[in-house]
Amino acid sequence: MSQPRNRWIVQVVLAVAILAFVGVSVIPIIGAFNNTPPSSQNTASSRGTLTSADQKSKLEDEVRGYELVLQREPENQTALKGLLQARLQLLSQKEKSEVKPADIQVVIEPLEKLAKLNPEQSEYSVLLAQAKQQIGDREGAAQAYRSILDTKPGDLKALQGMVALLISQQRPEAAIGMLQETLSNAAQANKIQPGSVDTVAVQVLLGSVHASQKQYDQASSVYDQAIKKDPKDFRPVVAKAMLLKQQGKDADAKLLFDSAAALAPAQYKDEIKNAATASPIPNPAASPAPPLKSTPK
């Protein structure tokens, strides 16, 4: 398994505590471009204000420049990517409460073109789906996810996003059915393209959906199947440990956390230890799905 994909599913398991699969939002993506924390000091200098205004003016100039290029060359990907980045950075200067659907719509426009021009890079379609869901276009979001899954049924980000969308629509059974179908077809998909469906990762997602619906026995059973499938894979072990912890079974959870830490590569051990000592999420259904941090290069 590639390191980026492994890192992503570990973050699903650890950072989102297994159970959080609703509320996919483009706001965390937007916020990732703004690395300057707001000042809390009453003595903020006018220089700082001017710098912010100058930055906004510069970004607006960049937007106009890229728009002029795209009028001549509508499929110029360098201009499309630059326009997307500049608009995201402008958006990141706004407070979350200030962001309007029209603000996100201008991000959607270049994303749609980039997704169409780069069908092999599913990140653009995932970002597009997130943005559409943010403005309330659930059908548009679903279409974007399906466009990925039609050709890449094991794409984890698309699967997770589609699951989040279905649960936000109060359709957990549809999410469970989709993941079960993915698992049923995994062997054939992996014959055609080896490694295209990470079955253990999909099982972790499936168990997480069961857990989010308080179907703890079903979740535990799915995690056990994943552990049996690959006893050396630490991800379902962490997932079951967090499920037990969520149920207040701390002693049993600790045994599994210790086992997961022993199995995990060195770069994940600290995250597992932190998960073992963290307080359980009181209302996992209210937690956001793991955000994407940037646009593809």
Side-chain angles (χ1 to χ4, degrees):
M1 185 193 313
S2 69
Q3 280 296 322
R5 186 165 70 170
N6 196 36
R7 166 64 64 178
W8 179 83
I9 192 64
V10 170
Q11 288 175 339
V12 171
V13 175
L14 297 174
V16 194
I18 293 303
L19 306 176
F21 281 96
V22 297
V24 176
S25 170
V26 77
I27 294 299
I29 304 170
I30 296 163
F33 288 90
N34 187 3
N35 296 321
T36 305
S39 174
S40 59
Q41 298 179 357
N42 294 327
T43 58
S45 67
S46 58
R47 179 182 177 183
T49 303
L50 287 173
T51 301
S52 177
D54 289 344
Q55 183 183 20
K56 181 180 179 182
S57 178
K58 181 181 177 182
L59 288 169
E60 289 172 342
D61 287 342
E62 288 182 10
V63 166
R64 285 190 288 270
Y66 289 128
E67 288 174 339
L68 287 172
V69 173
L70 290 168
Q71 286 177 12
R72 301 189 302 270
E73 306 171 54
E75 295 187 352
N76 184 313
Q77 293 202 49
T78 299
L80 284 168
K81 292 174 185 178
L83 178 62
L84 175 61
Q85 292 280 355
R87 285 179 172 173
L88 282 170
Q89 289 177 3
L90 279 171
L91 205 48
S92 75
Q93 295 184 343
K94 294 189 175 185
E95 296 293 331
K96 183 176 178 179
S97 59
E98 296 175 344
V99 176
K100 308 298 181 187
D103 297 321
I104 296 174
Q105 187 61 50
V106 297
V107 173
I108 288 174
E109 292 167 2
L111 272 175
E112 286 179 326
K113 291 182 180 179
L114 286 165
K116 184 178 180 179
L117 292 168
N118 299 276
E120 75 288 351
Q121 294 187 38
S122 60
E123 291 88 349
Y124 287 118
S125 292
V126 169
L127 284 167
L128 176 61
Q130 291 181 338
K132 288 193 172 187
Q133 188 173 350
Q134 181 69 21
I135 64 172
D137 182 5
R138 291 180 173 180
E139 182 53 37
Q143 288 177 357
Y145 287 130
R146 283 194 291 265
S147 72
I148 302 170
L149 296 172
D150 284 346
T151 56
K152 299 180 179 180
D155 190 288
L156 291 173
K157 291 179 181 178
L159 282 171
Q160 189 268 342
M162 191 68 182
V163 165
L165 180 63
L166 290 169
I167 290 183
S168 74
Q169 296 174 309
Q170 305 300 314
R171 299 175 60 199
E173 293 305 318
I176 289 169
M178 180 189 68
L179 293 172
Q180 288 174 333
E181 182 179 3
T182 302
L183 290 169
S184 295
N185 297 331
Q188 181 63 27
N190 284 333
K191 279 184 181 179
I192 298 171
Q193 185 178 353
S196 60
V197 179
D198 182 348
T199 53
V200 172
V202 178
Q203 286 174 310
V204 169
L205 292 177
L206 176 58
S208 301
V209 178
H210 281 304
S212 73
Q213 302 304 302
K214 301 189 185 301
Q215 298 168 355
Y216 297 130
D217 289 343
Q218 293 95 320
S220 182
S221 176
V222 172
Y223 294 146
D224 286 341
Q225 291 171 31
I227 292 168
K228 183 177 180 180
K229 181 176 181 62
D230 187 353
K232 294 183 179 180
D233 194 322
F234 71 100
R235 297 171 300 171
V237 181
V238 175
K240 186 170 181 181
M242 299 191 75
L243 177 69
L244 292 171
K245 185 175 181 179
Q246 193 70 37
Q247 295 174 276
K249 300 177 181 179
D250 292 346
D252 292 336
K254 184 180 185 305
L255 291 174
L256 287 181
F257 277 123
D258 291 344
S259 177
L263 290 170
Q267 65 264 38
Y268 302 127
K269 292 183 185 295
D270 287 342
E271 294 179 71
I272 293 170
K273 290 176 183 177
N274 291 338
T277 57
S279 300
I281 297 176
N283 183 17
S287 301
L292 300 174
K293 295 299 183 185
S294 64
T295 57
K297 301 296 182 186

